[in-house]
Amino acid sequence: MVTSTYAAEDRGLLLEASKDGHKIYLLGSIHLADQSFYPLRDVILNAYNSSDALVVEADVIAMESDPQLQQKVTQESFYPPGDQLKNHIPPELYGELQEWLRKRMIPERLFSRMRPAIAMITLSIVEMQAHGLDPNAGIDRHFLAEAHRQVKPILELESVLQQLQLLNSLEKPELYLKQTLEQLSEMDQFVPRITGAWKAGDQEALYDLIFRQDIEQYPEFVQLHERLFYRRNREMAKKIQTFSEQHGKLFVVVGAGHLIGEKSVSDYLKAAGFNIKQI
């Protein structure tokens, strides 16, 4: 069992960006975690507590209490009645999905109307949950819950709907769905490596796991990373700069993949004149 003392000594991925008296803390999130990640070390907690506002990719907690938004999310996630996922992907790929669902004892009907890219993300989440990780324990959700409880200002870089629309606009989503199904067998190795790299604050190891290995094994993932990371990173960095002009100190929580390597949020902020250091 991991003790609280051990968790508090985990570094996590925390960067500090400063420019003209303004300070931005950038915390790389693991969207699914477990209680071994907590409590976070004091440097992270102090950075959050001293900040004027929390900045996140999307406020999922607000979405969960908004019935109209939930309806729109459902519309983006599923095909309308009468249409099905199997109508949009090759039969052999649907057969692979059915086999995985049987293995996990998940009713096929839960996926039958799901759009391909949404199915791709859902597969990964379900498999990571099967390996002990929980979206409710995710780093971003942890701070969102705190900010809602404290009525601390929450600023969104995107929105849940924007993220779903982006996924649905991917070209050849069936290709990424197939590759995701192939990768699920590697979760036994992936989960401890990604959680260990985050806890160690090891940017190089995180980059290997999130980007380099994918690209080496599946060259087509270059296009996926361009859509899911690099373009978004540029826009996120612009918004963070705008928010920084309005607040003296910000605490930003985004997926760890957005903060590492070239064309990352931190890379764009550095190009805009911010001094970046890992703390």
Side-chain angles (χ1 to χ4, degrees):
M1 182 176 177
V2 179
T3 66
S4 294
T5 302
Y6 177 82
E9 293 174 355
D10 291 340
R11 284 185 57 75
L13 179 60
L14 181 65
L15 307 177
E16 181 186 276
S18 55
K19 179 184 178 183
D20 300 334
H22 291 260
K23 192 167 287 187
I24 304 168
Y25 295 106
L26 300 155
L27 181 64
S29 173
I30 297 290
H31 297 311
L32 285 84
D34 60 33
Q35 290 308 311
S36 73
F37 284 69
Y38 302 97
L40 299 168
R41 62 187 170 110
D42 288 342
V43 172
I44 296 174
L45 299 178
N46 292 339
Y48 167 77
N49 289 326
S50 67
S51 296
D52 303 314
L54 171 68
V55 181
V56 293
E57 293 180 39
D59 188 345
V60 293
I61 291 180
M63 179 271 292
E64 291 166 354
S65 61
D66 184 337
Q68 289 185 325
L69 183 53
Q70 284 184 318
Q71 185 177 13
K72 291 177 181 177
V73 165
T74 299
Q75 290 171 347
E76 288 292 338
S77 301
F78 296 92
Y79 289 112
D83 200 0
Q84 293 187 314
L85 173 60
K86 65 182 177 182
N87 298 334
H88 297 269
I89 62 176
E92 61 273 17
L93 177 55
Y94 193 75
E96 290 177 32
L97 174 61
Q98 288 176 309
E99 183 179 343
W100 179 84
L101 291 171
R102 283 193 294 270
K103 176 185 172 185
R104 281 286 169 222
M105 293 184 288
I106 297 172
E108 184 179 339
R109 59 181 172 76
L110 297 180
F111 276 75
S112 62
R113 285 176 46 211
M114 200 174 283
R115 296 180 186 273
I118 309 303
M120 173 185 76
I121 299 296
T122 306
L123 287 172
S124 296
I125 292 173
V126 170
E127 196 66 31
M128 291 178 82
Q129 285 179 298
H131 286 79
L133 300 185
D134 181 0
N136 290 320
I139 304 298
D140 41 357
R141 191 177 186 96
H142 171 81
F143 283 105
L144 267 172
E146 280 295 299
H148 276 282
R149 184 177 64 81
Q150 298 168 352
V151 198
K152 187 169 191 153
I154 298 171
L155 307 172
E156 289 186 298
L157 295 171
E158 300 173 325
S159 70
V160 175
L161 275 181
Q162 274 182 292
Q163 293 179 334
L164 290 173
Q165 289 163 351
L166 171 65
L167 287 169
N168 289 332
S169 70
L170 293 175
E171 294 180 14
K172 300 180 180 178
E174 69 282 354
L175 174 66
Y176 302 125
L177 176 57
K178 179 175 177 59
Q179 292 167 341
T180 299
L181 279 165
E182 292 175 4
Q183 290 177 314
L184 295 182
S185 62
E186 302 168 6
M187 273 301 172
D188 283 338
Q189 296 81 37
F190 179 80
V191 167
R193 290 176 68 192
I194 193 78
T195 56
W198 186 87
K199 289 178 178 182
D202 190 334
Q203 293 193 50
E204 191 66 28
L206 287 168
Y207 186 82
D208 282 343
L209 290 164
I210 298 171
F211 296 103
R212 188 174 289 124
Q213 290 182 12
D214 273 354
I215 293 170
E216 288 176 357
Q217 191 171 1
Y218 305 106
E220 301 90 344
F221 269 44
V222 171
Q223 295 178 345
L224 183 67
H225 293 154
E226 178 66 33
R227 294 294 300 277
L228 294 187
F229 288 97
Y230 307 143
R231 292 186 193 177
R232 292 169 65 204
N233 290 345
R234 186 169 55 246
E235 295 307 311
M236 285 183 185
K238 288 179 183 176
K239 278 199 170 182
I240 290 169
Q241 288 178 73
T242 300
F243 292 152
S244 179
E245 291 167 3
Q246 301 162 356
H247 300 273
K249 196 177 287 187
L250 292 176
F251 189 81
V252 180
V253 185
V254 294
H258 293 290
L259 298 181
I260 55 179
E262 295 182 356
K263 296 187 284 188
S264 61
V265 169
S266 45
D267 204 30
Y268 285 118
L269 288 176
K270 185 177 181 180
F274 282 83
N275 179 53
I276 309 284
K277 63 178 181 179
Q278 185 168 356
I279 57 175

